[in-house]
Amino acid sequence: MNAIEIAGLSKTYTGKKWTRVDALKNLSLEVAQGEIFGFLGPNGAGKSTTIKTLLGLIRPSSGSARLMGEDIGTAAARKHVGYLPENPAFYDYLNAEEYLLFVGRSFGMPEGLLGQRCAEVLQRLQLWDARKRPMRSYSKGMVQRVGIAQVLIHDPEVYILDEPMSGLDPVGRALVKEIMTELKQRGKCVFFSTHIVSDVESVCDRVGIITKGELRSVERVEAVLERGVVGYQLTLKDREGSRELYVPREQLTTTVGELAVQGVEITLLEPRRKSLEDFFLEIVTGTAV
Ligand SMILES: Nc1ncnc2c1ncn2[C@@H]1O[C@H](COP(=O)(O)OP(=O)(O)OP(=O)(O)O)[C@@H](O)[C@H]1O
């Protein structure tokens, strides 16, 4: 079973003076269990609209979606999901521990398990020392880490995260990526939105690119990167010492053959590729072929 199944989802907002905004146009997508999916798009592309629709927070104008086989908007679907909103804001007179206990109870977790899970999650997110301090005293990065902690607390199957790396320093970003990878290894589904390409490149199995409400491309990240190889930088060693040589992709086989005949050793071969960023920009700016 796919963890997320979206079929023909559309959302039209009615804006000021009855203007219509087609925020989402006929989006269809499936995300598997054990998969990390990056939902990449520029500001205003429709990422949050998609996510809020999946959570049942806004109603789609048409189309449908299921989470772990349950229709969106139902309590059964919501139980399977850990959701991180964009710019999370919490009851800031509570401390992190109280808040996590509150979230766990709202999912009906038994007290013993909840206490144990709460301690694990606070430690994992490096919030243990601050757990008794009201959240109003937390830095932006700490608040974001509470956001991540509250998606983990009830150990759901599906993680829907709106800009999870936002407001985090490099250490916090690395931690979140590590957590996502652990979730994947445990067979969980992680779906997160971002406009930061490098976040997708380092952690995702697949990437979906959305612009102006339309899903323009869904690809395996590896495939994009492999396709983007334009040439290779070789480091060579012979009697005269080391040197570097750039070889265009189509000449690699011939060059390697020639070097072997000449008795030159290749000590390093590095692909030079168009990045995922180049691919994203081509799609967003409409220069993709
Ligand atoms: N409640 C609303 N009423 C009217 N228009 C809206 C509403 N919410 C969002 N929109 C519009 O829908 C479009 C998609 O917005 P959305 O917030 O989904 O984009 P996003 O990809 O999440 O952007 P960002 O990266 O800036 O958060 C935008 O044009 C936005 O202005």
Side-chain angles (χ1 to χ4, degrees), residues 13-15 21 23 42-49 86 163 195:
Y13 293 109
T14 308
V21 181
N43 292 129
K47 303 183 296 296
S48 294
T49 300
E86 193 180 17
E163 309 265 356
H195 53 265

Side-chain angles (χ1 to χ4, degrees), residues 3-73:
I4 303 177
E5 287 175 355
I6 306 175
L9 213 56
S10 298
K11 175 69 187 177
T12 302
Y13 293 109
T14 308
K16 283 182 200 149
K17 296 185 183 164
W18 304 106
T19 50
R20 288 159 60 88
V21 181
D22 292 322
L24 211 54
K25 299 173 197 165
N26 196 23
L27 184 135
S28 296
L29 177 68
E30 287 169 358
V31 187
Q33 290 176 277
E35 180 171 34
I36 306 179
F37 190 93
F39 197 43
L40 186 62
N43 292 129
K47 303 183 296 296
S48 294
T49 300
T50 306
I51 286 181
K52 285 182 198 157
T53 309
L54 288 179
L55 264 296
L57 299 172
I58 53 180
R59 285 167 67 90
S61 307
S62 59
S64 63
R66 287 167 165 254
L67 300 171
M68 299 302 291
E70 305 286 352
D71 285 328
I72 50 168

Side-chain angles (χ1 to χ4, degrees), residues 190-217:
V190 181
F191 178 98
F192 75 95
S193 75
T194 182
H195 53 265
I196 301 166
V197 182
S198 59
D199 288 343
V200 168
E201 195 162 336
S202 54
V203 78
C204 290
D205 298 298
R206 281 192 304 154
V207 56
I209 298 181
I210 182 171
T211 66
K212 297 179 186 153
E214 272 180 70
L215 189 60
R216 299 286 310 280
S217 153

Side-chain angles (χ1 to χ4, degrees), residues 23-263:
L24 211 54
K25 299 173 197 165
N26 196 23
L27 184 135
S28 296
L29 177 68
E30 287 169 358
V31 187
Q33 290 176 277
E35 180 171 34
I36 306 179
F37 190 93
F39 197 43
L40 186 62
N43 292 129
K47 303 183 296 296
S48 294
T49 300
T50 306
I51 286 181
K52 285 182 198 157
T53 309
L54 288 179
L55 264 296
L57 299 172
I58 53 180
R59 285 167 67 90
S61 307
S62 59
S64 63
R66 287 167 165 254
L67 300 171
M68 299 302 291
E70 305 286 352
D71 285 328
I72 50 168
T74 61
R78 183 68 185 87
K79 250 194 149 152
H80 289 298
V81 184
Y83 166 52
L84 174 73
E86 193 180 17
N87 308 317
F90 306 115
Y91 304 115
D92 63 3
Y93 51 86
L94 295 181
N95 64 43
E97 187 175 60
E98 287 164 340
Y99 182 65
L100 292 182
L101 292 173
F102 165 74
V103 173
R105 284 181 194 129
S106 70
F107 279 105
M109 290 177 74
E111 286 298 314
L113 174 67
L114 177 56
Q116 182 194 332
R117 185 82 188 132
C118 188
E120 276 168 25
V121 167
L122 284 167
Q123 277 161 2
R124 189 73 182 98
L125 273 303
Q126 294 161 9
L127 290 164
W128 180 254
D129 293 341
R131 71 190 187 284
K132 302 281 186 198
R133 255 169 51 200
M135 288 190 282
R136 79 174 83 87
S137 71
Y138 286 9
S139 70
K140 199 172 159 196
M142 288 166 82
V143 171
Q144 186 72 6
R145 279 185 278 134
V146 174
I148 305 285
Q150 59 87 33
V151 304
L152 297 173
I153 194 81
H154 69 296
D155 197 31
E157 292 305 312
V158 184
Y159 296 77
I160 299 184
L161 315 174
D162 205 347
E163 309 265 356
M165 261 71 97
S166 138
L168 293 176
D169 62 19
V171 179
R173 299 170 98 84
L175 176 64
V176 171
K177 288 180 194 174
E178 212 179 282
I179 290 172
M180 286 185 185
T181 308
E182 281 166 16
L183 290 170
K184 168 191 158 72
Q185 282 161 358
R186 293 178 51 228
K188 311 284 186 174
C189 167
V190 181
F191 178 98
F192 75 95
S193 75
T194 182
H195 53 265
I196 301 166
V197 182
S198 59
D199 288 343
V200 168
E201 195 162 336
S202 54
V203 78
C204 290
D205 298 298
R206 281 192 304 154
V207 56
I209 298 181
I210 182 171
T211 66
K212 297 179 186 153
E214 272 180 70
L215 189 60
R216 299 286 310 280
S217 153
V218 178
E219 295 244 27
R220 291 196 63 76
V221 172
E222 248 171 41
V224 174
L225 295 178
E226 269 167 27
R227 207 175 52 225
V229 172
V230 286
Y232 298 87
Q233 188 76 25
L234 309 188
T235 306
L236 308 175
K237 197 173 137 200
D238 57 15
R239 281 187 302 276
E240 283 143 41
S242 273
R243 65 195 158 92
E244 298 214 326
L245 177 69
Y246 176 79
V247 183
R249 180 183 184 152
E250 57 285 357
Q251 288 171 23
L252 182 71
T253 319
T254 330
T255 308
V256 169
E258 286 167 5
L259 290 168
V261 171
Q262 294 162 22

